[in-house]
Amino acid sequence: MRRRPVDFRRPVRRRISSVVWWTLCGISVLLFIVIFSKESRIESRSTSFNKYYTKYEKNIEGLNITDEMLSPNSITRQLSDQISLAKAFVVIAKESNNLQFAWELSAQIRNSQVLLSSAATRRAPLTTRESETAIRDMALLLFQAQQLHYDSATMIMRLKAKIQVLDEQMGIVNEKSSKYGQIAAEEIPKGLYCIGIRLTTEWFGNPNLQRKKNERMQIQTKLRDSNLYHFCVFSDNILATSVVVNSTALNSKNPDMVVFHLVTDEINYIAMKAWFAMNTFRGVTVEVQKFEDFKWLNASYVPVLKQLQDSETQSYYFSGHNDDGRTPIKFRNPKYLSMLNHLRFYIPEVFPALKKVVFLDDDVVVQKDLSGLFSVDLNSNVNGAVETCMETFHRYHKYLNYSHPLIREHFDPDACGWAFGMNVFDLVEWRKRNVTEIYHYWQEKNVDRTLWKLGTLPPGLLTFYGLTEPLDPSWHVLGLGYTNVDPHLIEKGAVLHFNGNSKPWLKIGMEKYKPLWEKHVDYSHPLLQQCNFH
């Protein structure tokens, strides 16, 4: 058999698969990315730590904290802690009538404060030698305080008792402050009395004023023209009403189209007529009436008038002895007895020829043109008003008694409240929906004051429930008579309302808001100077 010759060629090497090769390359790239990202993280962490540390150092510098104070063995901090504790013991010692011990503590506190002050002045930390005596003496006094049972529990108990006493005292003071504030708010300044008397004298002594009034009778057509801008104010305050008219006229683009319907009482009727006859307001038409001339305004038609004439109601508002003083004094303001305050619910009867009117309170200042209010779409509602439910205490449950079934069954307690003081009334819709009768219904139900306690807003919330169109808040800015108001809101506001006790014509008015009102008063007017009104 023949043998196969020997093959002297090199053995062929197996080639590495391309899949394996690309896998190894991918792993290498991933390892490179991971290593690089870790390094960058370490760098970023160190950078952020450096930034934080720098910021921390700046904070320490701003707080005037030194390294010595941060040390756990800081003598300065030890002295400061002793001073803080000693001050608390001084209060308790005085409360316990231990005046001698309180004096000793106070003296030692002063000694320690002198040491701290000298160290701060020379910008060097306190040494053990110079502070040893002060720390030891203070420690002895603090130990003595412990022996007198001036411990934490005693301190807390006594402070709680003190807080309770202070709360009771504060409640009494707040009640007195509320009463005195209410009295001050109800007071009519002597200057306003003087103006009324002098105007009345001027009216009867100056035939020219009556002639001017007769000349104005020729503009009766304006008083009924529905194409004009009709405003109404119900007030017995001549100067406040003048500010409303003057500020509206000054900011009106077409003052000749503005008509003001003023209603006052018989006492101020002549004075009001005289003032608006002797002063011009950029051509604004002004009509003055007194509510005593309204024949329809009688007790048989107006429930509130019958209630206001009731002796028990008058006693409730004037004396406040019917419920053992449970009702706050602000609910007993006699102004709620004035028919001028309730006349806003009879605007269609007061102005039978008008179709739309803007109602303004006498404690407002106008600083924008209000003609845009007459083109606002009320969406078939009767009342256009700015809502006040941004805060929970301005919802319906704040004003009404929800324990009464009539209120609970008919009204949502979380419904938004709204503000009287600047309201657009569609009198056509008012008459169509017979809104005045709705008001009469609720007023008769509240004869015993169980549905609401005070004022015209609660019955307004009931009467116009579901009939109120929210207006843009910039139309009516409230609170200038009792709280701080955002300056941006004041700047943008069309009508600024000084609701609250601090009216701008009173001494208790808020000083920072008075200029907004006073710039519409001509203090150089001879009548105001004669009455020393400033």
Side-chain angles (χ1 to χ4, degrees):
M1 184 175 171
R2 197 176 175 183
R3 286 188 180 181
R4 189 175 180 179
V6 180
D7 190 358
F8 292 99
R9 289 177 299 176
R10 291 182 181 178
V12 179
R13 294 181 181 176
R14 291 184 179 178
R15 294 184 179 178
I16 300 174
S17 171
S18 60
V19 176
V20 175
W21 173 256
W22 285 111
T23 303
L24 291 174
C25 289
I27 292 171
S28 302
V29 171
L30 286 173
L31 286 173
F32 176 76
I33 292 171
V34 169
I35 293 169
F36 181 77
S37 63
K38 283 185 177 180
E39 289 179 355
S40 62
R41 280 182 195 170
I42 292 170
E43 289 178 3
S44 64
R45 283 178 185 173
S46 62
T47 304
S48 62
F49 177 78
N50 290 334
K51 289 181 179 178
Y52 172 78
Y53 189 75
T54 305
K55 183 178 179 182
Y56 175 71
E57 282 185 330
K58 288 182 178 178
N59 288 337
I60 290 177
E61 186 178 353
L63 293 172
N64 199 23
I65 296 175
T66 62
D67 291 336
E68 194 269 338
M69 290 181 70
L70 296 174
S71 169
N73 300 318
S74 170
I75 296 172
T76 300
R77 192 172 62 185
Q78 187 177 352
L79 267 178
S80 299
D81 291 342
Q82 282 186 331
I83 290 171
S84 299
L85 187 58
K87 284 181 178 179
F89 286 147
V90 167
V91 175
I92 297 177
K94 288 181 178 179
E95 289 293 323
S96 304
N97 206 27
N98 193 347
L99 301 182
Q100 176 64 31
F101 186 62
W103 180 85
E104 292 176 5
L105 280 170
S106 299
Q108 191 56 46
I109 289 172
R110 284 193 295 273
N111 291 339
S112 299
Q113 287 175 336
V114 168
L115 281 176
L116 292 175
S117 178
S118 62
T121 303
R122 70 170 186 258
R123 296 185 177 181
L126 286 169
T127 62
T128 306
R129 177 180 294 179
E130 61 182 332
S131 60
E132 183 179 4
T133 303
I135 291 176
R136 185 184 66 251
D137 292 346
M138 182 68 85
L140 288 172
L141 286 173
L142 295 178
F143 176 76
Q144 187 178 347
Q146 283 185 326
Q147 297 304 309
L148 293 170
H149 301 291
Y150 292 170
D151 54 9
S152 306
T154 306
M155 287 172 62
I156 292 170
M157 186 172 61
R158 291 188 178 182
L159 288 174
K160 281 183 177 179
K162 184 66 176 175
I163 289 170
Q164 186 176 356
V165 172
L166 290 174
D167 281 341
E168 292 173 358
Q169 292 176 352
M170 188 171 66
I172 295 170
V173 170
N174 285 340
E175 185 179 355
K176 288 182 179 179
S177 175
S178 177
K179 289 180 179 179
Y180 296 147
Q182 194 70 48
I183 292 169
E186 293 167 15
E187 178 194 12
I188 299 177
K190 292 179 181 179
L192 290 181
Y193 274 122
C194 173
I195 291 171
I197 294 170
R198 287 187 178 273
L199 281 171
T200 303
T201 305
E202 187 74 18
W203 175 265
F204 289 111
N206 187 351
N208 292 327
L209 285 180
Q210 298 183 37
R211 194 177 301 116
K212 284 183 181 180
K213 187 64 182 177
N214 292 332
E215 290 172 1
R216 293 192 177 193
M217 297 302 290
Q218 300 172 4
I219 57 175
Q220 285 296 321
T221 53
K222 270 193 165 186
L223 301 178
R224 299 177 177 84
D225 189 348
S226 295
N227 295 317
L228 301 181
Y229 308 131
H230 294 270
F231 298 86
C232 66
V233 181
F234 307 141
S235 173
D236 57 1
N237 189 323
I238 299 166
L239 198 59
T241 305
S242 177
V243 168
V244 177
V245 176
N246 190 32
S247 61
T248 305
L250 288 174
N251 291 285
S252 176
K253 295 177 181 177
N254 300 292
D256 57 318
M257 294 184 65
V258 174
V259 180
F260 264 93
H261 304 267
L262 311 180
V263 181
T264 187
D265 54 19
E266 193 165 17
I267 297 173
N268 296 281
Y269 177 59
I270 297 299
M272 190 85 78
K273 282 202 305 182
W275 178 262
F276 286 98
M278 67 195 304
N279 294 285
T280 58
F281 299 89
R282 296 188 66 209
V284 167
T285 302
V286 179
E287 175 196 31
V288 180
Q289 302 179 77
K290 56 179 177 177
F291 72 81
E292 286 87 352
D293 287 341
F294 301 148
K295 303 301 181 186
W296 50 267
L297 194 61
N298 52 69
S300 61
Y301 175 62
V302 180
V304 71
L305 192 59
K306 183 178 180 181
Q307 294 170 17
L308 293 178
Q309 294 171 352
D310 180 61
S311 59
E312 184 182 345
T313 302
Q314 292 186 3
S315 175
Y316 173 82
Y317 282 113
F318 280 104
S319 66
H321 298 312
N322 292 357
D323 65 348
D324 299 325
R326 290 190 302 271
T327 306
I329 188 171
K330 70 175 183 177
F331 293 169
R332 301 179 178 278
N333 194 332
K335 76 176 183 179
Y336 301 125
L337 292 174
S338 171
M339 194 59 216
L340 287 172
N341 202 44
H342 300 273
L343 209 57
R344 65 193 69 192
F345 294 103
Y346 299 94
I347 292 177
E349 285 87 346
V350 178
F351 312 113
L354 299 183
K355 296 181 179 179
K356 182 175 280 190
V357 67
V358 171
F359 167 79
L360 296 174
D361 267 339
D362 64 359
D363 55 352
V364 306
V365 169
V366 177
Q367 60 177 14
K368 306 282 184 184
D369 178 57
L370 300 184
S371 59
L373 287 170
F374 292 87
S375 58
V376 170
D377 185 5
L378 296 182
N379 296 313
S380 299
N381 285 307
V382 177
N383 173 31
V386 170
E387 291 184 334
T388 57
C389 61
M390 291 75 71
E391 307 279 353
T392 55
F393 53 83
H394 282 150
R395 297 185 184 271
Y396 268 52
H397 63 78
K398 177 63 179 180
Y399 304 99
L400 304 170
N401 177 20
Y402 272 85
S403 64
H404 198 290
L406 264 179
I407 298 296
R408 191 169 58 249
E409 292 169 9
H410 291 88
F411 303 98
D412 178 8
D414 291 321
C416 285
W418 45 266
F420 263 135
M422 197 293 298
N423 304 80
V424 185
F425 290 119
D426 186 335
L427 303 186
V428 176
E429 284 292 329
W430 186 314
R431 297 182 184 101
K432 185 189 300 183
R433 294 172 179 261
N434 207 5
V435 173
T436 303
E437 287 305 314
I438 299 175
Y439 167 68
H440 284 171
Y441 170 81
W442 289 111
Q443 194 67 48
E444 288 172 347
K445 292 293 183 183
N446 194 48
V447 67
D448 55 355
R449 295 180 298 278
T450 56
L451 302 186
W452 69 87
K453 289 291 184 185
L454 84 159
T456 52
L457 182 56
L461 295 176
L462 301 180
T463 302
F464 296 103
Y465 185 72
L467 301 174
T468 299
E469 179 69 17
L471 300 180
D472 188 287
S474 63
W475 280 116
H476 188 188
V477 176
L478 298 108
L480 279 76
Y482 73 94
T483 187
N484 293 316
V485 184
D486 186 345
H488 297 292
L489 295 179
I490 293 176
E491 184 180 353
K492 294 179 181 178
V495 175
L496 306 180
H497 197 168
F498 289 82
N499 57 313
N501 284 338
S502 303
K503 303 300 183 189
W505 56 84
L506 298 175
K507 289 183 179 179
I508 62 172
M510 299 180 73
E511 291 296 331
K512 62 180 177 180
Y513 298 138
K514 275 188 176 183
L516 297 169
W517 186 84
E518 290 178 330
K519 68 180 179 181
H520 297 290
V521 179
D522 182 11
Y523 288 105
S524 65
H525 194 287
L527 190 62
L528 297 185
Q529 289 189 340
Q530 290 170 17
C531 291
N532 196 28
F533 197 93
H534 52 78

